[in-house]
């Protein structure tokens, strides 16, 4: 019998026993002599499992008036968070719109600048003339 208890205890400490083997081990420990530490362990575990939990749920622990206040506070927090989020979204949209308008203005400036440079092409030919007489084709009288 002691050999079977030793085998079951070894399996128990290795976490390899089934529920049936644990029940067998408890029965063998109760009917045998020795193994006092193991007997105390299994009897303590049995007592622990027999106890009812005494933990209260939050709904019972908090009075109804406090729960109502918490509900209102949560609602206000959600509302304020939503308003803040919407404000940030609107600001980003306004920034995007302003950016697009500036880019359109730059495109218009670029287009008009290109037109102006095309019209300046004939003037570029005149910059190589040295004098007013060359410009107007008149000879200087001496």
């Amino acid at each position: 019998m002691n050999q079977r208890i030793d085998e079951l205890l070894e399996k128990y400490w290795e976490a390899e026993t089934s529920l049936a083997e644990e029940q067998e081990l408890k029965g063998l420990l109760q009917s045998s002599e020795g193994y006092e530490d193991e007997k105390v362990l299994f009897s303590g575990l049995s007592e622990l499992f027999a106890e009812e939990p005494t933990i209260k749920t939050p709904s019972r622990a908090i009075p109804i008036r406090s729960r109502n206040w918490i509900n209102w506070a949560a609602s206000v927090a959600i509302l304020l968070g939503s308003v803040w989020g919407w404000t940030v979204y609107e600001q980003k949209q306004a920034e995007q719109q302003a950016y697009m308008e500036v880019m359109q203005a730059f495109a218009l400036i670029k287009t008009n600048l290109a037109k102006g440079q095309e019209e300046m092409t004939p003037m570029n030919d005149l910059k190589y003339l040295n004098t007013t007489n060359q410009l107007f084709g008149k000879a200087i009288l001496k």
Side-chain angles (χ1 to χ4, degrees):
M1 177 168 25
N2 288 346
Q3 183 182 359
R4 178 68 178 154
I5 292 174
D6 290 335
E7 289 174 12
L8 289 173
L9 279 174
E10 187 174 330
K11 283 180 73 174
Y12 181 80
W13 295 126
E14 295 293 325
E16 296 174 351
T17 57
S18 65
L19 291 176
E21 289 174 329
E22 288 180 20
Q23 292 298 327
E24 180 185 356
L25 178 61
K26 287 179 189 177
L28 289 174
L29 284 174
Q30 289 175 354
S31 64
S32 69
E33 293 184 14
Y35 301 102
E36 298 302 321
D37 292 336
E38 287 80 4
K39 287 180 183 179
V40 171
L41 172 71
F42 282 108
S43 66
L45 289 175
S46 297
E47 290 174 13
L48 185 63
F49 288 129
E51 286 186 22
E52 285 290 322
T54 57
I55 299 172
K56 293 183 179 179
T57 60
S59 63
R60 293 184 202 152
I62 300 173
I64 292 175
R65 289 185 183 173
S66 295
R67 280 188 276 155
N68 287 340
W69 181 84
I70 290 172
N71 291 341
W72 278 100
S75 299
V76 169
I78 290 171
L79 179 66
L80 290 176
S82 299
V83 169
W84 176 75
W86 184 257
T87 304
V88 168
Y89 172 77
E90 287 291 323
Q91 183 179 3
K92 294 286 184 186
Q93 290 295 97
E95 289 173 1
Q96 184 69 20
Q97 181 66 27
Y99 174 78
M100 293 305 292
E101 289 175 6
V102 167
M103 295 311 290
Q104 287 175 351
F106 282 152
L108 182 63
I109 290 170
K110 180 182 174 185
T111 303
N112 289 337
L113 185 60
K115 285 181 187 176
Q117 285 178 343
E118 286 176 10
E119 291 179 10
M120 290 297 293
T121 305
M123 294 300 286
N124 284 338
D125 295 339
L126 297 178
K127 72 180 177 182
Y128 298 109
L129 298 176
N130 290 331
T131 63
T132 308
N133 292 332
Q134 287 177 335
L135 182 64
F136 292 110
K138 295 186 178 182
I140 300 177
L141 298 174
K142 290 191 180 184

